[in-house]
Amino acid sequence: MATVHIQQAIGNCAEGKKGSDDLQKRFAPKKDELTRKQQELTELEQKLQQGAKVLSVDQQNQLQRDIDRKGKDLQRDNEEATADYQQAVDQVFNAIGSKMLQVIAVYAQKNGFDLVLNSAQPGQVLWQTQKVDITDEIVGAYNMTFGTGGMTAPPTAPSGSTGAPRPTNTPAAPATKKPQP
């Protein structure tokens, strides 16, 4: 068994680094535009605060409407830019990820691993051989234990045990051992 932090592997491979750099360059103009709009909005808010005593009520109201409009526009533009960027990141990572999974499979086979898990998401299998799939054996064991004729009572757990019944080929825990919560 082995683990791979798949996101880290994708981001640190040469193609992943290049893809990240390309995305940064591609989205830099939009980031700069959003920064400029944020600065404009901040300046308007400061102007409203500083001019509260010298601006007429109509001027203050107009300035507040401009702030509200620019704030909504900035929020919408920011949300659109974030969605566009995330979609582009997903495309790059998915393209590299499919190739990375091929590399993981070849590496695991050559090095005798039967199971490769994603260490970034515990339990997520990245690759496995058929040897680790025990579904048929479990079905057979179930049928031997309970048969096919319907519901029968499951074997009872040893006294003091709180867990599920143990398989018959595993020795029971010593009587002095306390059950785990």
Side-chain angles (χ1 to χ4, degrees):
M1 181 174 79
T3 64
V4 174
H5 191 294
I6 192 73
Q7 289 86 353
Q8 183 179 3
I10 291 169
N12 288 341
C13 72
E15 188 177 359
K17 289 178 181 179
K18 182 182 181 315
S20 180
D21 289 344
D22 290 348
L23 286 173
Q24 294 300 320
K25 290 175 187 171
R26 179 176 155 197
F27 284 92
K30 188 64 172 177
K31 181 180 177 184
D32 293 343
E33 176 188 339
L34 292 170
T35 300
R36 182 186 50 77
K37 287 183 175 184
Q38 179 61 54
Q39 288 173 329
E40 289 175 6
L41 182 61
T42 301
E43 289 171 5
L44 286 176
E45 289 170 339
Q46 289 173 347
K47 184 177 179 181
L48 180 61
Q49 285 178 339
Q50 293 169 354
K53 294 181 181 179
V54 293
L55 294 174
S56 70
V57 172
D58 288 341
Q59 290 172 322
Q60 288 179 21
N61 290 338
Q62 181 60 45
L63 198 51
Q64 185 61 54
R65 283 191 296 273
D66 289 346
I67 290 170
D68 292 343
R69 181 181 46 81
K70 286 184 183 264
K72 288 177 186 175
D73 290 346
L74 176 63
Q75 182 178 354
R76 183 188 66 247
D77 291 348
N78 191 35
E79 288 171 357
E80 287 174 5
T82 300
D84 290 346
Y85 180 76
Q86 189 58 53
Q87 182 178 15
V89 167
D90 289 348
Q91 287 174 343
V92 169
F93 267 63
N94 288 338
I96 297 170
S98 65
K99 292 185 274 186
M100 185 66 71
L101 290 175
Q102 293 172 11
V103 170
I104 289 169
V106 169
Y107 184 89
Q109 289 171 345
K110 283 184 179 179
N111 292 283
F113 293 108
D114 291 322
L115 180 67
V116 180
L117 301 174
N118 183 1
S119 62
Q121 293 182 339
Q124 182 184 30
V125 175
L126 298 175
W127 184 84
Q128 72 181 40
T129 64
Q130 208 47 37
K131 285 194 280 187
V132 298
D133 184 358
I134 60 170
T135 303
D136 292 340
E137 291 84 352
I138 296 300
V139 169
Y142 180 91
N143 289 341
M144 286 180 62
T145 303
F146 296 104
T148 59
M151 298 291 285
T152 61
T156 58
S159 65
S161 174
T162 59
R166 296 180 182 273
T168 57
N169 63 348
T170 304
T176 58
K177 189 173 182 179
K178 293 184 179 180
Q180 296 292 324

